[in-house]
Amino acid sequence: MKEELNKIKLACVQEIENAREVNGLEEVRVKYLGKKGELTLILRNMGNVSAEERPLIGKMVNETREEIEKELTTKKAKLEEEAILKSLENAKKIDFSIPAEDTLGSLHPITVVQREIEEIFKSMGFTVEEGFEVESEYNNFEAVNVPKYHPARDMQDTFWLENGELLKTHTSAAQNRIMRKYNGPLKAIFPGRCFRNEDLDASHENTFFQLEGMMIDKDISVSNLIYFMKIMLSEVFGKEVNVRLRPGYFPFVEPGFELDASCMYCGGKGCKVCKNSGWIELCPCGLIHPKVLEMGGINPDEYSGFAFGLGLARLAMMKYSITDIRLLNSGDLRFLKPIGLN
Ligand code: PHE
C-alpha cells in the first residue's frame, strides 16, 4: 500500500510540475483529490483493509494528501506570479505615444436639447435666467401659492438642508425672484437642475432638468401660450407639431393645463410611442395665478402671464429615443454612441 501511495504521489507531483496554467492545475487536483480522485478511491476502499492496518493506512493517505495539497498551493502561487509578470511584459509593448481615436466626447443630450431651446426662445425675445439649486422654502413653495400645509406639497417631496433650505423641486422656484427683477412685463426662460425624493425607475429620477418659461405683459392669454409652445416644439422636432390643452392642476396657475403635442413619430395617426392616441403628454402650463403675480410685486389687475415647465429629460429621451431616464445621470458613456452623440 505504501508503495502504491508513493507511486500516486510521484505521478501527481510530476503532473503538477508539468502544469502550465492554473486551470491545468485544477484538473490535476480533481484527478487525485476530487470526489472520484485516485487518492479518494483508496480511502473509499478501506473496507478491504484489516482493522489493524486501517489507522496506519489512513494516516499515510492523509499525509500524502497534505503533501499533494502543499505542492498544488506552491505551484499555483508560482503560476499566478508568472501570469502577472507576463501581462506586465505585454503592457510594456503598449505605445502610449500613439494618438487616441474617438475620445473627443460630446455634449450631454440634455445640454444639447437645452441649448437648442434656449436659442429658439432667445430668437423670440426671451431672456435666459439663472436659477439656484438650493432654494428657500418660500421661493420653492409659498411664493408659488403652495402654503405650508397644502396637500400639493406631497407631490414634490424633496431633500431638506439642516438650515431649513431645500434642493429645489421645480424651476418654478425662480419665478418670484425673476418677477421682482423685472417688476413688470417680461419674457424669460430659466433652465435648471431639480430634485425630488423619488423612487427610481425607467421614468423617474431624483435629479432631473426642467426648463421653465414665463411671459408677463398686458392681455396675455392662453393663445399666446399655445403660439409659443407650438413654435418651440416644431423647431425642436423639425416638423409642424400641433398642440392641445387638457385641464391640469397646479396651485400656481389658473387655469392650469397639461399640454399634449401631436405625436412626432406617426404625425397623429396613432403608434406605439403615443399608445395609439396620436398625442404625447409634454408639459404642464397655465396662466400665472394672480396671487403669484402679486407676491412677485406685479399688479394682477394690470398684467397677466403664462408659465410652462418643460421636462428636459422627457424631451431629450423623445428626441434621441432613450428608453431609461437613469442613463442620463449614469456617467456611462456607452449610451451616447447609438444615439449618434459620440
Ligand atoms: N412646476 C411644475 C412642476 O414641476 C410645472 C409647471 C410649471 C406647471 C409652470 C405649470 C406652470 O411640476
mmCIF file of all heavy atoms in Angstrom, residues 67-109:
data_model
loop_
_atom_site.group_PDB
_atom_site.id
_atom_site.type_symbol
_atom_site.label_atom_id
_atom_site.label_comp_id
_atom_site.label_asym_id
_atom_site.label_seq_id
_atom_site.Cartn_x
_atom_site.Cartn_y
_atom_site.Cartn_z
ATOM 1 N N GLU A 67 0.665 16.470 1.431
ATOM 2 C CA GLU A 67 1.846 16.815 0.620
ATOM 3 C C GLU A 67 1.416 17.298 -0.775
ATOM 4 O O GLU A 67 1.941 18.284 -1.288
ATOM 5 C CB GLU A 67 2.770 15.598 0.485
ATOM 6 C CG GLU A 67 3.580 15.341 1.756
ATOM 7 C CD GLU A 67 4.313 14.001 1.690
ATOM 8 O OE1 GLU A 67 4.946 13.732 0.646
ATOM 9 O OE2 GLU A 67 4.229 13.238 2.666
ATOM 10 N N ILE A 68 0.440 16.561 -1.341
ATOM 11 C CA ILE A 68 -0.026 16.974 -2.674
ATOM 12 C C ILE A 68 -0.636 18.380 -2.617
ATOM 13 O O ILE A 68 -0.355 19.235 -3.463
ATOM 14 C CB ILE A 68 -1.052 15.962 -3.226
ATOM 15 C CG1 ILE A 68 -0.347 14.630 -3.517
ATOM 16 C CG2 ILE A 68 -1.733 16.488 -4.483
ATOM 17 C CD1 ILE A 68 -1.256 13.545 -4.044
ATOM 18 N N GLU A 69 -1.419 18.623 -1.573
ATOM 19 C CA GLU A 69 -2.042 19.954 -1.456
ATOM 20 C C GLU A 69 -0.986 21.043 -1.369
ATOM 21 O O GLU A 69 -1.126 22.119 -1.962
ATOM 22 C CB GLU A 69 -2.965 20.002 -0.233
ATOM 23 C CG GLU A 69 -4.367 19.509 -0.568
ATOM 24 C CD GLU A 69 -5.256 19.316 0.644
ATOM 25 O OE1 GLU A 69 -4.767 19.466 1.781
ATOM 26 O OE2 GLU A 69 -6.439 18.985 0.424
ATOM 27 N N LYS A 70 0.084 20.738 -0.612
ATOM 28 C CA LYS A 70 1.163 21.722 -0.477
ATOM 29 C C LYS A 70 1.789 22.028 -1.837
ATOM 30 O O LYS A 70 1.993 23.178 -2.199
ATOM 31 C CB LYS A 70 2.228 21.174 0.484
ATOM 32 C CG LYS A 70 2.806 22.255 1.383
ATOM 33 C CD LYS A 70 3.608 21.670 2.500
ATOM 34 C CE LYS A 70 5.084 22.038 2.304
ATOM 35 N NZ LYS A 70 5.973 21.249 3.181
ATOM 36 N N GLU A 71 2.050 20.936 -2.571
ATOM 37 C CA GLU A 71 2.637 21.117 -3.912
ATOM 38 C C GLU A 71 1.718 21.980 -4.795
ATOM 39 O O GLU A 71 2.178 22.863 -5.510
ATOM 40 C CB GLU A 71 2.826 19.756 -4.610
ATOM 41 C CG GLU A 71 3.866 18.847 -3.987
ATOM 42 C CD GLU A 71 5.279 19.291 -4.332
ATOM 43 O OE1 GLU A 71 5.445 19.951 -5.363
ATOM 44 O OE2 GLU A 71 6.223 18.980 -3.549
ATOM 45 N N LEU A 72 0.433 21.646 -4.711
ATOM 46 C CA LEU A 72 -0.530 22.389 -5.539
ATOM 47 C C LEU A 72 -0.507 23.876 -5.193
ATOM 48 O O LEU A 72 -0.483 24.748 -6.073
ATOM 49 C CB LEU A 72 -1.951 21.854 -5.321
ATOM 50 C CG LEU A 72 -2.320 20.547 -6.046
ATOM 51 C CD1 LEU A 72 -3.629 20.000 -5.509
ATOM 52 C CD2 LEU A 72 -2.446 20.792 -7.554
ATOM 53 N N THR A 73 -0.520 24.200 -3.896
ATOM 54 C CA THR A 73 -0.545 25.601 -3.466
ATOM 55 C C THR A 73 0.694 26.338 -3.946
ATOM 56 O O THR A 73 0.607 27.458 -4.476
ATOM 57 C CB THR A 73 -0.624 25.689 -1.923
ATOM 58 O OG1 THR A 73 -1.578 24.730 -1.489
ATOM 59 C CG2 THR A 73 -1.018 27.061 -1.457
ATOM 60 N N THR A 74 1.843 25.688 -3.769
ATOM 61 C CA THR A 74 3.083 26.353 -4.176
ATOM 62 C C THR A 74 3.083 26.622 -5.684
ATOM 63 O O THR A 74 3.396 27.724 -6.140
ATOM 64 C CB THR A 74 4.309 25.456 -3.850
ATOM 65 O OG1 THR A 74 4.080 24.854 -2.581
ATOM 66 C CG2 THR A 74 5.589 26.229 -3.847
ATOM 67 N N LYS A 75 2.686 25.586 -6.422
ATOM 68 C CA LYS A 75 2.711 25.744 -7.883
ATOM 69 C C LYS A 75 1.703 26.819 -8.335
ATOM 70 O O LYS A 75 1.969 27.601 -9.240
ATOM 71 C CB LYS A 75 2.393 24.395 -8.530
ATOM 72 C CG LYS A 75 2.359 24.424 -10.034
ATOM 73 C CD LYS A 75 3.747 24.455 -10.647
ATOM 74 C CE LYS A 75 3.643 24.459 -12.162
ATOM 75 N NZ LYS A 75 4.878 24.175 -12.832
ATOM 76 N N LYS A 76 0.548 26.844 -7.652
ATOM 77 C CA LYS A 76 -0.483 27.814 -8.041
ATOM 78 C C LYS A 76 0.061 29.246 -7.877
ATOM 79 O O LYS A 76 -0.050 30.088 -8.772
ATOM 80 C CB LYS A 76 -1.727 27.627 -7.179
ATOM 81 C CG LYS A 76 -2.899 28.409 -7.683
ATOM 82 C CD LYS A 76 -4.173 28.030 -6.959
ATOM 83 C CE LYS A 76 -5.253 28.990 -7.393
ATOM 84 N NZ LYS A 76 -6.189 29.300 -6.327
ATOM 85 N N ALA A 77 0.694 29.492 -6.729
ATOM 86 C CA ALA A 77 1.245 30.824 -6.490
ATOM 87 C C ALA A 77 2.266 31.172 -7.571
ATOM 88 O O ALA A 77 2.299 32.309 -8.076
ATOM 89 C CB ALA A 77 1.874 30.873 -5.106
ATOM 90 N N LYS A 78 3.073 30.158 -7.924
ATOM 91 C CA LYS A 78 4.115 30.400 -8.920
ATOM 92 C C LYS A 78 3.488 30.756 -10.283
ATOM 93 O O LYS A 78 3.897 31.721 -10.935
ATOM 94 C CB LYS A 78 4.980 29.141 -9.047
ATOM 95 C CG LYS A 78 6.303 29.390 -9.686
ATOM 96 C CD LYS A 78 7.221 28.194 -9.528
ATOM 97 C CE LYS A 78 8.194 28.212 -10.703
ATOM 98 N NZ LYS A 78 8.547 26.890 -11.139
ATOM 99 N N LEU A 79 2.477 29.978 -10.660
ATOM 100 C CA LEU A 79 1.826 30.236 -11.957
ATOM 101 C C LEU A 79 1.171 31.620 -11.979
ATOM 102 O O LEU A 79 1.231 32.335 -12.986
ATOM 103 C CB LEU A 79 0.776 29.161 -12.244
ATOM 104 C CG LEU A 79 1.307 27.782 -12.668
ATOM 105 C CD1 LEU A 79 0.152 26.807 -12.853
ATOM 106 C CD2 LEU A 79 2.112 27.878 -13.964
ATOM 107 N N GLU A 80 0.550 31.978 -10.853
ATOM 108 C CA GLU A 80 -0.123 33.293 -10.820
ATOM 109 C C GLU A 80 0.883 34.422 -10.955
ATOM 110 O O GLU A 80 0.661 35.402 -11.661
ATOM 111 C CB GLU A 80 -0.937 33.432 -9.528
ATOM 112 C CG GLU A 80 -2.264 32.705 -9.637
ATOM 113 C CD GLU A 80 -3.013 32.605 -8.311
ATOM 114 O OE1 GLU A 80 -2.434 32.951 -7.260
ATOM 115 O OE2 GLU A 80 -4.171 32.188 -8.343
ATOM 116 N N GLU A 81 2.000 34.254 -10.284
ATOM 117 C CA GLU A 81 3.025 35.289 -10.370
ATOM 118 C C GLU A 81 3.531 35.412 -11.806
ATOM 119 O O GLU A 81 3.691 36.507 -12.338
ATOM 120 C CB GLU A 81 4.168 34.940 -9.420
ATOM 121 C CG GLU A 81 5.111 36.108 -9.197
ATOM 122 C CD GLU A 81 6.290 35.714 -8.329
ATOM 123 O OE1 GLU A 81 6.079 34.955 -7.374
ATOM 124 O OE2 GLU A 81 7.408 36.164 -8.645
ATOM 125 N N GLU A 82 3.746 34.230 -12.413
ATOM 126 C CA GLU A 82 4.224 34.243 -13.798
ATOM 127 C C GLU A 82 3.245 34.981 -14.709
ATOM 128 O O GLU A 82 3.630 35.751 -15.580
ATOM 129 C CB GLU A 82 4.392 32.809 -14.309
ATOM 130 C CG GLU A 82 5.757 32.224 -13.978
ATOM 131 C CD GLU A 82 5.825 30.735 -14.334
ATOM 132 O OE1 GLU A 82 4.965 30.266 -15.133
ATOM 133 O OE2 GLU A 82 6.714 30.076 -13.796
ATOM 134 N N ALA A 83 1.929 34.731 -14.460
ATOM 135 C CA ALA A 83 0.901 35.367 -15.303
ATOM 136 C C ALA A 83 0.975 36.885 -15.165
ATOM 137 O O ALA A 83 0.862 37.627 -16.151
ATOM 138 C CB ALA A 83 -0.479 34.857 -14.914
ATOM 139 N N ILE A 84 1.173 37.352 -13.917
ATOM 140 C CA ILE A 84 1.259 38.808 -13.705
ATOM 141 C C ILE A 84 2.473 39.381 -14.432
ATOM 142 O O ILE A 84 2.391 40.385 -15.145
ATOM 143 C CB ILE A 84 1.325 39.131 -12.195
ATOM 144 C CG1 ILE A 84 -0.007 38.766 -11.547
ATOM 145 C CG2 ILE A 84 1.635 40.605 -11.963
ATOM 146 C CD1 ILE A 84 -0.034 38.895 -10.050
ATOM 147 N N LEU A 85 3.602 38.688 -14.264
ATOM 148 C CA LEU A 85 4.818 39.183 -14.916
ATOM 149 C C LEU A 85 4.642 39.244 -16.430
ATOM 150 O O LEU A 85 5.059 40.195 -17.086
ATOM 151 C CB LEU A 85 6.001 38.278 -14.569
ATOM 152 C CG LEU A 85 6.493 38.415 -13.127
ATOM 153 C CD1 LEU A 85 7.582 37.400 -12.815
ATOM 154 C CD2 LEU A 85 7.020 39.839 -12.898
ATOM 155 N N LYS A 86 3.966 38.211 -16.945
ATOM 156 C CA LYS A 86 3.751 38.161 -18.387
ATOM 157 C C LYS A 86 2.881 39.340 -18.848
ATOM 158 O O LYS A 86 3.172 39.990 -19.850
ATOM 159 C CB LYS A 86 3.046 36.853 -18.750
ATOM 160 C CG LYS A 86 3.470 36.320 -20.090
ATOM 161 C CD LYS A 86 3.179 34.850 -20.144
ATOM 162 C CE LYS A 86 2.509 34.440 -21.427
ATOM 163 N NZ LYS A 86 1.982 33.091 -21.304
ATOM 164 N N SER A 87 1.824 39.627 -18.067
ATOM 165 C CA SER A 87 0.948 40.722 -18.506
ATOM 166 C C SER A 87 1.694 42.055 -18.401
ATOM 167 O O SER A 87 1.479 42.958 -19.202
ATOM 168 C CB SER A 87 -0.361 40.741 -17.715
ATOM 169 O OG SER A 87 -0.105 41.079 -16.386
ATOM 170 N N LEU A 88 2.575 42.172 -17.399
ATOM 171 C CA LEU A 88 3.374 43.411 -17.307
ATOM 172 C C LEU A 88 4.302 43.537 -18.505
ATOM 173 O O LEU A 88 4.489 44.605 -19.067
ATOM 174 C CB LEU A 88 4.198 43.408 -16.023
ATOM 175 C CG LEU A 88 3.418 43.664 -14.731
ATOM 176 C CD1 LEU A 88 4.324 43.569 -13.524
ATOM 177 C CD2 LEU A 88 2.769 45.048 -14.789
ATOM 178 N N GLU A 89 4.852 42.400 -18.863
ATOM 179 C CA GLU A 89 5.746 42.367 -20.017
ATOM 180 C C GLU A 89 5.006 42.860 -21.267
ATOM 181 O O GLU A 89 5.496 43.683 -22.031
ATOM 182 C CB GLU A 89 6.211 40.914 -20.203
ATOM 183 C CG GLU A 89 7.384 40.735 -21.132
ATOM 184 C CD GLU A 89 8.633 41.491 -20.668
ATOM 185 O OE1 GLU A 89 8.855 41.627 -19.429
ATOM 186 O OE2 GLU A 89 9.346 41.952 -21.541
ATOM 187 N N ASN A 90 3.747 42.353 -21.440
ATOM 188 C CA ASN A 90 2.945 42.771 -22.591
ATOM 189 C C ASN A 90 2.607 44.255 -22.519
ATOM 190 O O ASN A 90 2.582 44.952 -23.528
ATOM 191 C CB ASN A 90 1.639 41.975 -22.654
ATOM 192 C CG ASN A 90 1.905 40.572 -23.153
ATOM 193 O OD1 ASN A 90 2.918 40.339 -23.808
ATOM 194 N ND2 ASN A 90 1.015 39.650 -22.836
ATOM 195 N N ALA A 91 2.342 44.721 -21.285
ATOM 196 C CA ALA A 91 1.960 46.122 -21.111
ATOM 197 C C ALA A 91 3.074 47.033 -21.615
ATOM 198 O O ALA A 91 2.823 48.094 -22.168
ATOM 199 C CB ALA A 91 1.649 46.409 -19.651
ATOM 200 N N LYS A 92 4.305 46.592 -21.409
ATOM 201 C CA LYS A 92 5.440 47.409 -21.857
ATOM 202 C C LYS A 92 5.380 47.655 -23.356
ATOM 203 O O LYS A 92 5.925 48.611 -23.865
ATOM 204 C CB LYS A 92 6.743 46.688 -21.516
ATOM 205 C CG LYS A 92 7.251 47.010 -20.129
ATOM 206 C CD LYS A 92 8.670 46.510 -19.999
ATOM 207 C CE LYS A 92 8.906 45.968 -18.590
ATOM 208 N NZ LYS A 92 9.918 44.929 -18.551
ATOM 209 N N LYS A 93 4.703 46.728 -24.051
ATOM 210 C CA LYS A 93 4.667 46.853 -25.510
ATOM 211 C C LYS A 93 3.618 47.849 -25.989
ATOM 212 O O LYS A 93 3.514 48.144 -27.163
ATOM 213 C CB LYS A 93 4.406 45.485 -26.139
ATOM 214 C CG LYS A 93 5.578 44.544 -25.943
ATOM 215 C CD LYS A 93 5.330 43.231 -26.638
ATOM 216 C CE LYS A 93 6.314 42.173 -26.143
ATOM 217 N NZ LYS A 93 5.669 40.871 -26.021
ATOM 218 N N ILE A 94 2.752 48.346 -25.063
ATOM 219 C CA ILE A 94 1.751 49.323 -25.487
ATOM 220 C C ILE A 94 2.440 50.671 -25.707
ATOM 221 O O ILE A 94 3.171 51.142 -24.844
ATOM 222 C CB ILE A 94 0.644 49.487 -24.432
ATOM 223 C CG1 ILE A 94 -0.095 48.163 -24.271
ATOM 224 C CG2 ILE A 94 -0.330 50.599 -24.822
ATOM 225 C CD1 ILE A 94 -1.112 48.162 -23.154
ATOM 226 N N ASP A 95 2.210 51.242 -26.850
ATOM 227 C CA ASP A 95 2.848 52.522 -27.156
ATOM 228 C C ASP A 95 1.903 53.669 -26.786
ATOM 229 O O ASP A 95 0.937 53.939 -27.486
ATOM 230 C CB ASP A 95 3.185 52.555 -28.651
ATOM 231 C CG ASP A 95 3.915 53.841 -29.023
ATOM 232 O OD1 ASP A 95 3.968 54.743 -28.160
ATOM 233 O OD2 ASP A 95 4.410 53.938 -30.158
ATOM 234 N N PHE A 96 2.217 54.302 -25.667
ATOM 235 C CA PHE A 96 1.315 55.355 -25.185
ATOM 236 C C PHE A 96 1.413 56.644 -26.000
ATOM 237 O O PHE A 96 0.657 57.574 -25.796
ATOM 238 C CB PHE A 96 1.603 55.655 -23.708
ATOM 239 C CG PHE A 96 1.199 54.535 -22.800
ATOM 240 C CD1 PHE A 96 2.148 53.681 -22.275
ATOM 241 C CD2 PHE A 96 -0.130 54.327 -22.496
ATOM 242 C CE1 PHE A 96 1.781 52.637 -21.454
ATOM 243 C CE2 PHE A 96 -0.518 53.288 -21.674
ATOM 244 C CZ PHE A 96 0.444 52.435 -21.162
ATOM 245 N N SER A 97 2.367 56.672 -26.915
ATOM 246 C CA SER A 97 2.504 57.910 -27.690
ATOM 247 C C SER A 97 1.598 57.924 -28.920
ATOM 248 O O SER A 97 1.443 58.949 -29.569
ATOM 249 C CB SER A 97 3.965 58.089 -28.113
ATOM 250 O OG SER A 97 4.303 57.067 -29.023
ATOM 251 N N ILE A 98 0.955 56.761 -29.215
ATOM 252 C CA ILE A 98 0.052 56.746 -30.371
ATOM 253 C C ILE A 98 -1.186 57.583 -30.041
ATOM 254 O O ILE A 98 -1.789 57.407 -28.982
ATOM 255 C CB ILE A 98 -0.377 55.300 -30.708
ATOM 256 C CG1 ILE A 98 0.860 54.515 -31.156
ATOM 257 C CG2 ILE A 98 -1.461 55.267 -31.784
ATOM 258 C CD1 ILE A 98 0.572 53.048 -31.404
ATOM 259 N N PRO A 99 -1.596 58.499 -30.914
ATOM 260 C CA PRO A 99 -2.762 59.338 -30.594
ATOM 261 C C PRO A 99 -4.023 58.479 -30.424
ATOM 262 O O PRO A 99 -4.213 57.528 -31.176
ATOM 263 C CB PRO A 99 -2.911 60.237 -31.829
ATOM 264 C CG PRO A 99 -1.685 60.040 -32.632
ATOM 265 C CD PRO A 99 -1.026 58.783 -32.224
ATOM 266 N N ALA A 100 -4.827 58.802 -29.420
ATOM 267 C CA ALA A 100 -6.048 58.041 -29.179
ATOM 268 C C ALA A 100 -7.092 58.406 -30.220
ATOM 269 O O ALA A 100 -7.121 59.532 -30.706
ATOM 270 C CB ALA A 100 -6.555 58.366 -27.792
ATOM 271 N N GLU A 101 -7.958 57.417 -30.552
ATOM 272 C CA GLU A 101 -9.026 57.755 -31.501
ATOM 273 C C GLU A 101 -10.317 57.959 -30.738
ATOM 274 O O GLU A 101 -10.495 57.403 -29.675
ATOM 275 C CB GLU A 101 -9.296 56.601 -32.473
ATOM 276 C CG GLU A 101 -8.128 55.787 -32.856
ATOM 277 C CD GLU A 101 -8.615 54.474 -33.492
ATOM 278 O OE1 GLU A 101 -9.822 54.330 -33.742
ATOM 279 O OE2 GLU A 101 -7.764 53.617 -33.736
ATOM 280 N N ASP A 102 -11.216 58.718 -31.311
ATOM 281 C CA ASP A 102 -12.597 58.684 -30.852
ATOM 282 C C ASP A 102 -12.812 59.114 -29.416
ATOM 283 O O ASP A 102 -13.715 58.635 -28.760
ATOM 284 C CB ASP A 102 -13.074 57.232 -30.973
ATOM 285 C CG ASP A 102 -14.368 57.189 -31.717
ATOM 286 O OD1 ASP A 102 -14.731 58.228 -32.250
ATOM 287 O OD2 ASP A 102 -14.997 56.123 -31.756
ATOM 288 N N THR A 103 -11.944 59.967 -28.860
ATOM 289 C CA THR A 103 -12.127 60.275 -27.451
ATOM 290 C C THR A 103 -12.512 61.737 -27.234
ATOM 291 O O THR A 103 -12.316 62.277 -26.169
ATOM 292 C CB THR A 103 -10.845 59.980 -26.649
ATOM 293 O OG1 THR A 103 -9.764 60.564 -27.360
ATOM 294 C CG2 THR A 103 -10.632 58.507 -26.474
ATOM 295 N N LEU A 104 -13.029 62.373 -28.261
ATOM 296 C CA LEU A 104 -13.348 63.794 -28.134
ATOM 297 C C LEU A 104 -14.516 64.051 -27.204
ATOM 298 O O LEU A 104 -14.619 65.096 -26.599
ATOM 299 C CB LEU A 104 -13.665 64.375 -29.514
ATOM 300 C CG LEU A 104 -12.455 64.877 -30.287
ATOM 301 C CD1 LEU A 104 -12.893 65.490 -31.592
ATOM 302 C CD2 LEU A 104 -11.684 65.917 -29.471
ATOM 303 N N GLY A 105 -15.437 63.088 -27.085
ATOM 304 C CA GLY A 105 -16.592 63.276 -26.232
ATOM 305 C C GLY A 105 -17.622 64.161 -26.914
ATOM 306 O O GLY A 105 -17.476 64.574 -28.060
ATOM 307 N N SER A 106 -18.703 64.440 -26.192
ATOM 308 C CA SER A 106 -19.752 65.266 -26.792
ATOM 309 C C SER A 106 -20.512 65.964 -25.684
ATOM 310 O O SER A 106 -20.285 65.701 -24.519
ATOM 311 C CB SER A 106 -20.725 64.378 -27.572
ATOM 312 O OG SER A 106 -21.503 63.643 -26.659
ATOM 313 N N LEU A 107 -21.402 66.826 -26.052
ATOM 314 C CA LEU A 107 -22.259 67.439 -25.053
ATOM 315 C C LEU A 107 -23.261 66.390 -24.570
ATOM 316 O O LEU A 107 -23.605 65.461 -25.298
ATOM 317 C CB LEU A 107 -23.017 68.613 -25.665
ATOM 318 C CG LEU A 107 -22.168 69.820 -26.045
ATOM 319 C CD1 LEU A 107 -23.021 70.863 -26.755
ATOM 320 C CD2 LEU A 107 -21.512 70.429 -24.813
ATOM 321 N N HIS A 108 -23.729 66.570 -23.352
ATOM 322 C CA HIS A 108 -24.748 65.670 -22.810
ATOM 323 C C HIS A 108 -26.055 65.909 -23.576
ATOM 324 O O HIS A 108 -26.355 67.053 -23.933
ATOM 325 C CB HIS A 108 -24.933 66.002 -21.325
ATOM 326 C CG HIS A 108 -25.708 64.978 -20.582
ATOM 327 N ND1 HIS A 108 -27.066 64.873 -20.697
ATOM 328 C CD2 HIS A 108 -25.325 64.017 -19.724
ATOM 329 C CE1 HIS A 108 -27.485 63.874 -19.926
ATOM 330 N NE2 HIS A 108 -26.434 63.343 -19.319
ATOM 331 N N PRO A 109 -26.824 64.851 -23.848
ATOM 332 C CA PRO A 109 -28.072 65.035 -24.605
ATOM 333 C C PRO A 109 -28.995 66.096 -23.999
ATOM 334 O O PRO A 109 -29.646 66.857 -24.731
ATOM 335 C CB PRO A 109 -28.750 63.666 -24.553
ATOM 336 C CG PRO A 109 -27.773 62.713 -23.974
ATOM 337 C CD PRO A 109 -26.553 63.440 -23.545
#
